[in-house]
Amino acid sequence: MTVNSSKIVFCFRKYLYFIIVSDFDEPESILLRQLEFFYQYILFILTAKVHDLIENNPSIDLTNLLGSDADRILLNAGCNVNLTPPPIAFNALEQILVEKSVRDDIHTSLKDCVEKCGAASGLLIQDGMLISNQQGSSSGLNLSVADALLITNFVNASQSLKTNEQSWIPVCLPEFNANGYLQAYVASLNVEVEKYGTSCFLLVLIAQPQDLQNLIKGKNYLQKLLGITPTAPRLLSLFDQHEATINRWREECRCLHFFFRYTTALIRTPSARAGSISTETKSDFAYFVHSGTSHRIVGDVAMERIWVAYENLVLRVRKATSQYEVLGHPSLTKVTEPSRGRSLSILSSSNSSSNVENKPYIAVGREVVDPLNEATCSDHALSVISEDGMSFLGLASFGCELFVTFPETMPLQDATRQTDQLCHLLKMFVM
């Protein structure tokens, strides 16, 4: 529903009502995905039993149960920014670009750690960006992107988890099992090299409570592996390499900004070191990289228009998306007032009708397909939007999507050729 220049979207989850109001022209499907993240976060802390709590006590205040970090996490994912954060909007984790030899060493080391300590899953994170994630071969847990987003947002928002040497916390992974808890072991890994100094990485291992001692041994084992030369100095220079590579490609492409989303279907199995466990990927996990420093080139207001354009382009290049949003794409909203933004409300009621349980609805009652639950195109799809001196190109093929912003002065044929070349470079690097 649109009122004046504000778009209002809401959805119901049994006794919980989620409402978002945005002054920016984000697609309804993207706003709905953000509401879904808020609901999933409540389950992450309280499990699906939260509905029983509300049914037994309709006046209960959930904020007291969600913990001290809840406000910061939900505000960071909502009202503190004008647009839906890219990890939520595009259902992917931001990953550091790492040259293949280093990436293979890290993947193999983390996989060995996960297998040797009996964990179900392991993630290695630095400054909110994912370096590697691996699954236990016999755990039965197939960690989804949605569950991984909950873990990384929770860890990144908690100062205590980032500063403590190790922590042990119960978590619910709604996509895996919304009715129970697993345990998350969060540990700091300090990798030190005399020439480069010391850098701290966060290791998150998902396991059963009885595995605590094994997880501590696994953490020590991984820290020892990562500290071995030549892995350590290359590991500590990851961010410098990442930004330098991104900027070089952006300049060569002659674009203002790009965003590349890809799945593990593109990533080859690394060669395991002698005696290590095979690192074969068992599921399609979505990642993204982007030229994040481009706001210094185009300005913050232009960057907001760029992200809105990408969100609309993804609706055009995905299969089985909402026909209304694809064909009825409006022109991009010009953002002129910094005070314009969004607000979020979460309401609870024990009088909700059962026929709306667990079904997403837009305010006008029209159900919307979530495009990011659909597959990428199996061959090739290209879509273009031009607005306010910029051209936005969306290029999709099996396993990846690339969205690029060019000055409108660049001929479309040249922009298309540059986009195709950039896509090839990115594929070659992540494979």
Side-chain angles (χ1 to χ4, degrees):
M1 178 173 68
T2 301
V3 179
N4 295 326
S5 60
S6 298
K7 183 175 289 187
I8 304 172
V9 176
F10 67 85
C11 69
F12 310 141
R13 290 295 183 268
K14 198 172 183 178
Y15 302 135
L16 290 169
Y17 293 46
F18 297 82
I19 306 169
I20 192 167
V21 181
S22 176
D23 288 338
F24 297 83
D25 194 33
E26 291 187 273
E28 295 164 350
S29 297
I30 299 296
L31 295 174
L32 189 63
R33 174 167 286 281
Q34 190 167 11
L35 295 183
E36 184 65 25
F37 174 83
F38 296 134
Y39 174 63
Q40 296 282 338
Y41 179 76
I42 292 175
L43 299 186
F44 179 76
I45 302 297
L46 302 176
T47 76
K49 295 176 183 177
V50 64
H51 297 295
D52 296 333
L53 294 175
I54 297 173
E55 186 173 17
N56 295 329
N57 182 8
S59 62
I60 192 171
D61 186 354
L62 293 182
T63 57
N64 294 329
L65 301 176
L66 291 175
S68 58
D69 292 321
D71 286 346
R72 182 163 56 251
I73 293 173
L74 295 179
L75 286 174
N76 286 343
C79 302
N80 282 354
V81 291
N82 286 329
L83 302 177
T84 304
I88 298 173
F90 294 90
N91 195 35
L93 292 173
E94 184 172 7
Q95 189 170 48
I96 300 176
L97 277 177
V98 185
E99 63 179 79
K100 187 178 185 304
S101 60
V102 181
R103 182 177 71 235
D104 291 355
D105 284 345
I106 296 172
H107 286 346
T108 302
S109 297
L110 182 58
K111 182 67 173 182
D112 287 351
C113 167
V114 169
E115 294 292 351
K116 289 180 183 298
C117 69
S121 181
L123 299 95
L124 189 61
I125 304 167
Q126 187 182 35
D127 288 351
M129 297 176 69
L130 185 70
I131 299 175
S132 178
N133 71 289
Q134 297 293 328
Q135 312 298 313
S137 60
S138 58
S139 66
L141 171 62
N142 187 4
L143 187 67
S144 68
V145 175
D147 286 341
L149 281 174
L150 293 170
I151 295 171
T152 54
N153 273 274
F154 182 77
V155 170
N156 293 332
S158 174
Q159 291 302 317
S160 60
L161 290 178
K162 289 188 287 188
T163 55
N164 290 348
E165 183 178 350
Q166 55 188 14
S167 303
W168 185 251
I169 52 174
V171 296
C172 170
L173 303 180
E175 295 278 316
F176 176 66
N177 179 9
N179 295 304
Y181 288 108
L182 290 170
Q183 301 295 322
Y185 172 72
V186 184
S188 299
L189 298 178
N190 293 309
V191 178
E192 183 175 359
V193 177
E194 183 177 349
K195 181 180 177 181
Y196 293 90
T198 302
S199 188
C200 181
F201 300 84
L202 286 175
L203 170 67
V204 183
L205 297 172
I206 307 298
Q208 297 295 336
Q210 63 269 21
D211 295 329
L212 176 58
Q213 292 303 317
N214 287 334
L215 297 182
I216 294 174
K217 293 178 182 178
K219 174 237 180 178
N220 295 333
Y221 172 77
L222 179 61
Q223 182 158 326
K224 181 180 178 181
L225 285 180
L226 295 181
I228 295 175
T229 303
T231 301
R234 293 188 295 176
L235 188 63
L236 295 187
S237 61
L238 286 182
F239 278 97
D240 291 339
Q241 296 174 9
H242 173 87
E243 187 166 344
T245 302
I246 290 288
N247 286 333
R248 184 178 73 253
W249 286 346
R250 183 187 56 76
E251 291 171 0
E252 290 176 356
C253 181
R254 294 183 291 155
C255 67
L256 300 175
H257 183 269
F258 71 83
F259 175 90
F260 182 65
R261 182 186 186 275
Y262 59 100
T263 69
T264 49
L266 284 177
I267 301 176
R268 296 170 183 155
T269 302
S271 300
R273 66 170 63 89
S276 67
I277 308 298
S278 170
T279 57
E280 182 178 358
T281 300
K282 291 185 173 64
S283 63
D284 287 346
F285 207 86
Y287 308 94
F288 73 86
V289 296
H290 70 104
S291 51
T293 58
S294 292
H295 65 89
R296 297 200 294 263
I297 300 171
V298 300
D300 292 336
V301 172
M303 278 306 305
E304 289 173 347
R305 296 208 308 276
I306 287 172
W307 283 117
V308 171
Y310 292 170
E311 290 175 359
N312 282 281
L313 282 171
V314 76
L315 291 167
R316 296 183 172 193
V317 299
R318 277 294 178 97
K319 291 181 178 179
T321 56
S322 165
Q323 188 179 35
Y324 170 85
E325 292 186 3
V326 174
L327 300 182
H329 167 70
S331 61
L332 297 178
T333 302
K334 295 182 180 180
V335 182
T336 56
E337 300 178 24
S339 60
R340 296 177 65 190
R342 65 231 314 254
S343 61
L344 166 75
S345 297
I346 302 176
L347 310 176
S348 62
S349 170
S350 59
N351 299 319
S352 173
S353 173
S354 60
N355 65 347
V356 297
E357 179 180 349
N358 294 330
K359 290 189 177 183
Y361 284 89
I362 298 305
V364 295
R366 173 168 47 83
E367 189 169 358
V368 174
V369 174
D370 182 354
L372 297 181
N373 282 336
E374 304 299 331
T376 54
C377 293
S378 57
D379 42 24
H380 232 54
L382 178 69
S383 186
V384 182
I385 298 174
S386 294
E387 177 74 18
D388 289 346
M390 292 182 288
S391 295
F392 312 100
L393 273 72
L395 176 65
S397 61
F398 177 74
C400 71
E401 292 159 330
L402 175 62
F403 305 100
V404 189
T405 302
F406 293 96
E408 199 171 31
T409 53
M410 178 176 285
L412 180 58
Q413 185 175 4
D414 291 346
T416 302
R417 182 169 56 252
Q418 293 290 345
T419 300
D420 194 59
Q421 291 175 357
L422 178 59
C423 187
H424 178 72
L425 274 174
L426 287 161
K427 278 186 176 183
M428 291 295 293
F429 200 89
V430 301
M431 289 179 66

